[in-house]
Structure formats: C-alpha cells, structure tokens
Amino acid sequence: MRDIAIQCIKDEAQAVLDLIPQLDENFDRAVDLVLSCHGKVIVTGVGKSGHIGAKIAATLASTGTPSFFVNPLDVFHGDLGVMSKGDVVLAISNSGQTDELLRFIPMVLHMQIPIIAMSGNPQSLLAKYATCHLNVSVRKEACPLNLAPTSSTTATLVMGDALAVALMEKRHFQPQDFAQFHPGGELGKRLLTTAQDVMLTDNLPILSSAMHLGDAIILVSKGKLGLGVAIADGRIEGIITDGDIRRAMEKWQKEFFSHTVGDIMTRQPKTVGVETKISEIQKIMNKHKIHSVLVVDPDSHLLGIVDRYACVL
C-alpha cells in the first residue's frame, strides 16, 4: 500500500512540474486582467473542478483580490445577478467541454466580462471563447485507472496558487495586509496585536541599582516574571534576570549578598514602544534569546513588560 501511495505522490508531483513549460504569455495576460479588474473575480466550475475553484477563490480573496465562487448551475436560477461589467470570470474545466459550464459562457460574453479559462485542453470550446487560457493538462491521472481526477485537480490547484502568488507580488502584498483578511487566526493576531494590548503593568518588579542582591531576589520572586527592572529618576537604568542572579551566586558565593543590582544588571535592555507588533517582539526575543522586553514611552519611562507567554496568542 505504501508503494502505491509513493507512486501517486510521484505522479502528482510530476504533473505539477510539467506545468512549468506550459506557462506562456497567457499567464501574463491573466495576471494583467485581474490587476485591471475594477470588480470581482468570479470563479466557477462543476464537480471536482468546482471544489478546486472554491479553494482558488478563497485564496485570491485572502490575498487581496476580491473573489468568490459561483456554481454555474445556480447562475440559471438567479445568481447571474452577482455579476456586473468590470468583473472577471475564472472558468475551470479539465476537459474544457463541460456542458453546464459552456451554457454559462454566452451569458458572460453577452455582459462583456473577460474570461480566464483554466483547462487541460487548449483546443476546447472553453479555451476558444476565453480571453486567455491557462493550460493545466497532465499526461495521466495518478489514479491507477487513469480516470479519477487526481493529478489534474492538483495541477489546477497549483496553477490557481501561482496566479494568486503572482498577484500578491504585483500588489506588493505584505504580512500586515494578510493579517487584515485573517483577523481571527493566529497569524492575524500576531500581526495586529501590539505591545500595549498584552503588556503587564501591575506590580512590576521595580528595583534600584544600589539595592543589595539579597533584597532584589525577594522582589524578583514576587514579580513572578523572572526579572527586575532598575529605575532611577523615572528612567530605566538596567535589568536583572533569574539567570543573572544564579550566575552571580556561582561567581561570588559567600560574597554574593554584599553586591548590588548595579553590579550584575544589563544596562541596555531591549525595549519596544507601545505600538510594536507582537510578531516583531517575537523576532527580538528569538534573536537575542531573551524571554521579556520592556515597553517604554518616547522618554524611556517604563510602561510595562511583555514576556514570552504574552506573545502566545
């Protein structure tokens, strides 16, 4: 069974690679059509092509291209009203001869809506009437009977992704843009949430640089953040962590309690502003191998602390 699965994966992977030489000026035209579209991209297809089309529409919509899927069968029962001049239709059919889809095409042409066809048959009627045709033909299906849509649906899905990615590049689509379309997901939260939203502000472990380490340990422990912040005249002097304290104990042993916070503190701790995104804070923590950052105002006054746990949304 595993050998069969391996062969299936190889066949579908090869079908995807075979798309590369099939890319031509039609792909460029398709990208330009969507970029110049002042309306929506309406994706349509029947059966397995319809399922793939729904996913392509969702990918386009989440990456900056207004798009949705319409079943061509529903068009005959009122859904034609969702289309208007200025839209673009992406019609998907492996054969390019699907009857339900072809009966829908004259309506689109009558409304003077351009058609991007995606099929495995460049000589099909769908390709003939399309403004541009994206060739997704495959040599064979991964199905042992060469019947069930397998390699062909994978190739179509990949071509849809290629179109979406090309459009993202053309639109200079950024992570912040992606987050706006995914506000409820983990990525959206990390890209939209700021330090101000998650920082701890109550009972912060505030120390002075002159404080003896024995007293500092008590305040650091009460703060439950594994650190203490040394402040003088309202400004941050430095920071000490549990690790600093342990290393100092090992180094000075009996002399440990005669030393002060100023002897071991880091004098230039990592700080961020209240508007710093959580995604950026995570990068700072990972780069410098730290578990907390200090949130400050423009005058370097401490406003709060963001620890690694607050970044797990």
Side-chain angles (χ1 to χ4, degrees):
M1 291 301 99
R2 215 174 296 173
D3 290 339
I4 295 173
I6 291 171
Q7 187 58 50
C8 175
I9 293 170
K10 285 182 176 180
D11 288 344
E12 296 206 20
Q14 188 59 53
V16 170
L17 291 174
D18 289 343
L19 289 176
I20 296 174
Q22 293 171 192
L23 288 171
D24 56 19
E25 65 278 0
N26 279 283
F27 186 84
D28 301 329
R29 292 179 65 193
V31 171
D32 290 338
L33 271 176
V34 177
L35 284 175
S36 61
C37 172
H38 298 297
K40 312 164 293 293
V41 174
I42 299 168
V43 186
T44 186
V46 179
K48 304 295 189 300
S49 293
H51 295 307
I52 296 299
K55 191 275 177 186
I56 292 174
T59 299
L60 288 170
S62 69
T63 52
T65 300
S67 178
F68 61 88
F69 176 80
V70 170
N71 189 316
L73 299 176
D74 295 332
V75 170
F76 302 108
H77 302 282
D79 281 6
L80 188 63
V82 302
M83 298 186 191
S84 59
K85 198 168 183 179
D87 293 343
V88 170
V89 166
L90 173 58
I92 303 172
S93 167
N94 185 46
S95 68
Q97 301 288 119
T98 306
D99 181 62
E100 298 91 340
L101 194 61
L102 292 178
R103 285 192 288 132
F104 161 66
I105 296 303
M107 306 178 197
V108 179
L109 295 175
H110 178 72
M111 298 176 69
Q112 298 182 323
I113 296 174
I115 300 171
I116 300 171
M118 196 180 290
S119 84
N121 183 3
Q123 308 305 319
S124 63
L125 286 175
L126 178 60
K128 177 181 176 181
Y129 289 110
T131 310
C132 57
H133 177 256
L134 302 180
N135 186 0
V136 291
S137 60
V138 298
R139 285 182 287 179
K140 66 170 186 170
E141 300 287 3
C143 162
L145 302 177
N146 196 29
L147 294 174
T150 44
S151 297
S152 58
T153 48
T154 300
T156 304
L157 183 62
V158 169
M159 184 64 80
D161 286 342
L163 181 61
V165 169
L167 288 164
M168 289 175 70
E169 186 70 22
K170 278 285 191 178
R171 297 186 195 277
H172 305 291
F173 199 78
Q174 299 299 313
Q176 292 78 6
D177 302 313
F178 189 85
Q180 290 178 0
F181 295 104
H182 299 74
E186 179 184 346
L187 177 61
K189 289 179 181 177
R190 284 195 287 112
L191 291 172
L192 295 178
T193 303
T194 66
Q196 188 173 27
D197 297 324
V198 298
M199 68 182 184
L200 302 169
T201 58
D202 296 330
N203 302 316
L204 298 179
I206 305 301
L207 317 173
S208 72
S209 60
M211 181 181 291
H212 283 93
L213 291 178
D215 297 324
I217 289 175
I218 297 172
L219 290 178
V220 170
S221 178
K222 286 182 178 179
K224 298 180 180 180
L225 293 174
L227 59 83
V229 185
I231 292 181
D233 298 326
R235 295 179 180 274
I236 298 169
E237 284 192 307
I239 186 174
I240 65 170
T241 66
D242 284 340
D244 295 328
I245 294 171
R246 287 196 302 273
R247 286 186 289 271
M249 284 181 171
E250 293 173 2
K251 179 180 179 180
W252 291 316
Q253 299 184 15
K254 293 181 179 180
E255 299 177 4
F256 172 80
F257 291 99
S258 64
H259 286 275
T260 66
V261 169
D263 294 332
I264 67 170
M265 70 183 183
T266 299
R267 295 184 180 275
Q268 292 183 320
K270 300 304 174 186
T271 61
V272 298
V274 291
E275 296 300 323
T276 305
K277 300 292 191 296
I278 290 301
S279 57
E280 185 61 30
I281 292 175
Q282 287 178 319
K283 291 179 183 178
I284 293 172
M285 289 180 178
N286 292 334
K287 179 180 179 180
H288 298 284
K289 296 180 172 59
I290 56 178
H291 61 75
S292 299
V293 296
L294 308 182
V295 184
V296 299
D297 66 13
D299 295 320
S300 297
H301 296 128
L302 181 66
L303 299 177
I305 298 174
V306 175
D307 68 5
R308 185 173 295 278
Y309 298 107
C311 294
V312 181
L313 300 173

